[in-house]
Amino acid sequence: MKFFDRLSGAVSVLAIAGTAAFSGPAGLRAQVPEHEVGEIEGVVVDADDGRALAGAEVNILGLRQRATTHGDGTFHLPGMRPGNYLISVARLGYATEAVLVTLTDETAYLTIRLDARPFEIPGLVVTGALMERVSQDVLRPVNVVSGDELQRQLQSTVASTLRAEPGVSMTSVGPATARPVIRGLSGDRVLMLEDGARVGDVSNAGADHATALDPASARRIEVVRGPAALLYGSNALGGVINVIRDEVPSIIPHHVTGSATLQTQTVSNAYAGSASILVPVTEHVPFRLEVSGRDAGDLDTPSGWLANTQTQTYSASAGAAYVGESGYLGASVRAYRNDYGIPGDEAAFEEGVLIEMERTAAKLKGSIERDFGPFHTLEADAAFTSYEHREIEPPEEPETAFQLETLSGDVLARHGSLGPFSSGAVGARGSFEDYGFGGEVETPDARRYTAAVYLFEEIDLNPVRIEAGLRYDWVSVVPLEVDPSATIGTIRDRTFHAASGSLGLLYDVGAGVRVGTSVARAFRTPDIIELFSEGAHLAAYAFELGNPSLDTEVGTGVDVFARWGTETVSAELTGFYNTISGYVFGEDTGATTAEGLAVYQYQGNDARLIGFEGGLDWTVVGDLVAHGSLSYVRGTLADTDEPLPLMPPLSGTLGLEYAPTTWFVRGEAELASEQDRLGAFETTTDGYTVFNASAGVRVTLGGRLNVLTLTLENITDEEY
């Protein structure tokens, strides 16, 4: 594509004078007496010149308290009881600072000085951990995308936003359908979350199905690489992606705060924007409102315009809560609409297929921070999601339809020091899913019931920390029509149950070096399509045959990693080995239907995946930083020793960035090797190198931190 056809820009207005919502567990809070509620106040300044810093995020480790500094650098953390607190302060262009504060009956006032740093070290991580942790202390490999990095990488989908992260790649059949691949696993094996809750769509039911999740308004995105089923249940063999927005507000802001993002992208003539605002309605009631939208035309490629790849996405949400001294209770509702096209196929439906999808979600969420026997915090949430999906073949005739209604609930009780355990939790989850199918997909309507209980414990033997946990899940799949004479086999009720477990160890060697290892056993229940499908899936250009006798996939994964974090270097290297018994995939039978659709039959085979991933940020001199990442996975069918299909090639990035505190420029190359280790019916893909560049400025105007980013992608017009 032409040089200027790949020009994209983003304008972001961040931290409009006040505090922003943050929801997190309270496992690390100090044991404090029941005294008068107080306040922590302070100011954040540049360590060199004393200049006040607006837009700095102030977090209390172990509590759901978060603030953003005002134009004069000040912040306020009200509703604090006397005790000891660890405060983390982070701001774009500066090193994260941690401060230990002792609060008495009087208000504490702090002056926090931040040192300039040209690269970001992610702050707190909440996904895949029992409680929020500093990123260097998380026991599982985690990517955190926020701040400048999120603004620079922001695309129309979560997958395309994360595609350059270590261990993460992307697959798609059009811009709107991009889905993340973690360590060679995708679809139903990567769990997509929104503020820790499952999205509730059918993106796992076909490569043409988009994820009903817009990253535009995300505050941060966290990626857990590797099995993470202990806290989240089945279907997390590959990993977990959590888009964090804080839809249900859990704190009272000092005064009105919000953010807005505007973006344009010339490669698809796209215009997008999002805005959110958090308002303290009363002393105890915050209200959050958010809207976003994107309008994009067909994609411009080096070979010309790719027809029927347009996208129109709209989303809005509202949330409110009552926040008291001992917790909060709140609710939110979100409406989401995405209309997009699937490029045509020469063998069938040359003009392509149009897809209309709608999702409505309601959440109820609360937390009580009060002693209950050995427990100090009780968290509960419930969610209802209604999803509809229609695939339209020209001339405007709905040919395939999917419907899904989901009702779920979770409860989690946390404890502090208890016997040999420094912290821990017990939890339970239940869900009900009602699937409906129509049109050419001849899959019986079905219901899925899930129940689970789990236990998670930590032992802190400084400098060693041990994590261990157990989980048991029971899943029942009930087709509404039993058919003993179906061509694919007897369509009948199926019940699955499995135990999951994990054990991990992190050792702080010193001098900024940490090493760790973990082993996890996770499982996945075959989805409804894999079990019972027997018909054409038009937008996927496939005729799918289910297998009612499929067994549960059981995965065992081992990770070994090392991290090094200093003022000038942040690096991590991870090696992994995963085995999956009963790995389910659609085998191309080589047959085609009269309409030209390839026939796929779902089968279960044992598989193994081995690989590594690494990332590096290195301050070469002054504000000049070198970035790099590298990822590789090798998938093999154990019984035949043949390559596993849909494996990404060896890939990585190399970048050089000059980043003072108020602006940055960056050049980057995305590289991938040839993939000639192929599954059945796959074709070789050539290696490639794609060059990108970006620049940005951070300007404080009227007490607001504003970020302007300009990105050039695929500068040399590479076709890949």
Side-chain angles (χ1 to χ4, degrees):
M1 54 205 72
K2 304 295 189 298
F3 176 84
F4 289 106
D5 287 343
R6 289 296 292 174
L7 174 65
S8 65
V11 182
S12 301
V13 184
L14 304 177
I16 302 176
T19 57
F22 174 79
S23 177
L28 294 182
R29 69 177 184 178
Q31 297 297 317
V32 296
E34 296 287 338
H35 284 219
E36 180 182 352
V37 175
E39 184 175 66
I40 297 176
E41 298 181 4
V43 61
V44 179
V45 300
D46 186 299
D48 291 331
D49 57 20
R51 175 169 45 90
L53 298 177
E57 287 193 1
V58 183
N59 292 276
I60 298 182
L61 188 65
L63 283 179
R64 52 181 174 83
Q65 283 279 44
R66 189 170 75 91
T68 303
T69 56
H70 311 318
D72 58 0
T74 61
F75 65 89
H76 303 261
L77 294 165
M80 305 293 299
R81 295 176 179 177
N84 297 317
Y85 298 95
L86 184 62
I87 296 180
S88 171
V89 183
R91 208 266 197 182
L92 299 179
Y94 291 85
T96 300
E97 185 75 20
V99 180
L100 183 63
V101 179
T102 299
L103 179 65
T104 62
D105 289 335
E106 299 179 357
T107 297
Y109 191 87
L110 310 173
T111 299
I112 301 173
R113 294 175 173 83
L114 299 185
D115 294 314
R117 173 172 288 172
F119 68 87
E120 290 182 71
I121 292 181
L124 304 181
V125 176
V126 301
T127 309
L130 177 62
M131 61 196 68
E132 70 262 42
R133 295 279 189 190
V134 176
S135 59
Q136 293 291 316
D137 290 334
V138 176
L139 202 139
R140 292 170 179 81
V142 177
N143 308 70
V144 180
V145 183
S146 60
D148 275 356
E149 185 181 12
L150 179 56
Q151 293 298 318
R152 186 176 62 251
Q153 296 180 190
L154 186 63
Q155 299 285 338
S156 60
T157 65
V158 174
S160 55
T161 299
L162 300 174
R163 71 187 188 280
E165 293 299 303
V168 182
S169 52
M170 181 183 76
T171 181
S172 72
V173 292
T177 65
R179 297 191 301 173
V181 179
I182 301 179
R183 295 182 174 181
L185 299 177
S186 62
D188 203 29
R189 299 177 184 91
V190 174
L191 187 57
M192 304 293 291
L193 304 176
E194 188 174 44
D195 282 338
R198 297 186 180 221
V199 176
D201 59 20
V202 294
S203 59
N204 61 294
D208 58 299
H209 294 194
T211 301
L213 192 56
D214 186 354
S217 61
R219 180 168 61 85
R220 59 196 281 119
I221 302 176
E222 298 180 356
V223 183
V224 180
R225 308 190 306 272
L230 193 66
L231 293 176
Y232 302 107
S234 61
N235 301 46
L237 293 175
V240 174
I241 295 176
N242 190 9
V243 176
I244 298 172
R245 316 180 199 274
D246 305 320
E247 287 186 344
V248 178
S250 59
I251 65 168
I252 302 293
H254 190 246
H255 40 94
V256 176
T257 182
S259 65
T261 298
L262 299 175
Q263 186 182 43
T264 181
Q265 189 178 53
T266 61
V267 70
S268 58
N269 293 322
Y271 298 91
S274 67
S276 64
I277 188 170
L278 183 63
V279 181
V281 178
T282 71
E283 183 182 356
H284 293 286
V285 178
F287 174 76
R288 181 182 184 275
L289 182 66
E290 174 203 317
V291 294
S292 65
R294 171 178 290 269
D295 192 317
D298 288 340
L299 187 69
D300 190 11
T301 78
S303 300
W305 293 96
L306 185 59
N308 205 44
T309 53
Q310 72 283 353
T311 304
Q312 288 80 41
T313 304
Y314 308 97
S315 183
S317 74
Y322 179 85
V323 181
E325 295 180 9
S326 299
Y328 75 99
L329 177 64
S332 69
V333 61
R334 173 174 291 275
Y336 176 88
R337 168 100 186 197
N338 189 4
D339 297 340
Y340 61 93
I342 300 295
D345 182 82
E346 293 182 0
F349 313 116
E350 191 170 344
E351 296 182 22
V353 174
L354 300 174
I355 293 182
E356 299 174 349
M357 56 185 289
E358 296 178 357
R359 171 178 172 257
T360 303
K363 297 177 184 176
L364 183 67
K365 191 173 185 179
S367 173
I368 300 176
E369 296 170 5
R370 184 177 297 170
D371 291 339
F372 300 89
F375 302 103
H376 61 63
T377 303
L378 179 65
E379 300 175 5
D381 62 75
F384 173 77
T385 302
S386 177
Y387 176 89
E388 293 185 9
H389 174 118
R390 295 172 295 278
E391 300 180 359
I392 302 171
E393 176 195 354
E396 307 298 323
E397 290 293 333
E399 295 288 347
T400 305
F402 298 83
Q403 289 184 321
L404 173 61
E405 291 187 347
T406 304
L407 180 64
S408 64
D410 295 84
V411 62
L412 179 69
R414 303 178 184 274
H415 69 77
S417 179
L418 183 65
F421 305 113
S422 55
S423 60
V426 295
R429 172 181 172 80
S431 68
F432 166 74
E433 297 164 285
D434 189 357
Y435 290 85
F437 304 90
E440 296 291 328
V441 175
E442 297 180 13
T443 303
D445 295 349
R447 293 170 179 168
R448 181 160 63 182
Y449 305 84
T450 302
V453 293
Y454 60 91
L455 170 71
F456 199 104
E457 300 292 340
E458 292 187 352
I459 302 175
D460 194 345
L461 304 173
N462 190 27
V464 175
R465 192 175 83 249
I466 300 171
E467 290 183 0
L470 291 172
R471 181 181 181 111
Y472 182 81
D473 285 78
W474 172 88
V475 180
S476 177
V477 180
V478 180
L480 298 189
E481 294 183 11
V482 175
D483 186 356
S485 60
T487 305
I488 59 174
T490 301
I491 295 178
R492 61 197 187 278
D493 295 0
R494 295 294 311 276
T495 299
F496 307 89
H497 54 89
S500 304
S502 69
L503 177 65
L505 180 148
L506 181 71
Y507 176 50
D508 188 347
V509 178
V513 177
R514 292 169 175 82
V515 296
T517 185
S518 66
V519 57
R521 183 183 189 271
F523 82 102
R524 184 182 80 93
T525 301
D527 65 33
I528 307 298
I529 297 292
E530 293 169 341
L531 287 171
F532 304 135
S533 178
E534 188 179 5
H537 189 167
L538 299 183
Y541 305 125
F543 191 94
E544 297 170 335
L545 297 177
N547 185 342
S549 298
L550 289 173
D551 291 327
T552 299
E553 289 184 1
V554 178
T556 302
V558 179
D559 279 42
V560 179
F561 63 86
R563 298 188 184 113
W564 183 26
T566 68
E567 291 187 0
T568 58
V569 175
S570 176
E572 179 173 327
L573 179 64
T574 303
F576 61 89
Y577 180 81
N578 296 336
T579 62
I580 302 177
S581 64
Y583 181 91
V584 177
F585 65 97
E587 287 189 353
D588 191 335
T589 64
T592 57
T593 67
E595 294 81 11
L597 301 177
V599 179
Y600 291 86
Q601 170 75 59
Y602 287 103
Q603 302 287 353
N605 296 273
D606 293 346
R608 59 179 179 269
L609 300 98
I610 185 171
F612 65 86
E613 62 227 3
L616 170 70
D617 293 294
W618 171 42
T619 302
V620 181
V621 60
D623 295 323
L624 184 65
V625 181
H627 305 274
S629 67
L630 191 65
S631 305
Y632 176 71
V633 59
R634 179 186 178 94
T636 304
L637 293 170
D639 294 338
T640 63
D641 208 33
E642 295 177 354
L644 201 63
L646 303 177
M647 291 293 104
L650 173 69
S651 60
T653 61
L654 290 174
L656 197 62
E657 180 176 7
Y658 186 73
T661 57
T662 57
W663 58 278
F664 73 89
V665 292
R666 177 180 176 124
E668 182 182 73
E670 297 182 31
L671 308 99
S673 67
E674 179 186 48
Q675 180 58 293
D676 56 5
R677 190 173 184 274
L678 308 174
F681 300 99
E682 291 188 319
T683 56
T684 300
T685 55
D686 295 332
Y688 61 85
T689 301
V690 174
F691 295 99
N692 307 318
S694 59
V697 294
R698 311 178 188 108
V699 181
T700 302
L701 296 174
R704 282 89 168 167
L705 175 61
N706 300 268
V707 182
L708 172 67
T709 302
L710 180 68
T711 301
L712 303 174
E713 298 180 335
N714 196 8
I715 293 174
T716 59
D717 205 23
E718 179 78 6
E719 183 174 345
Y720 63 100

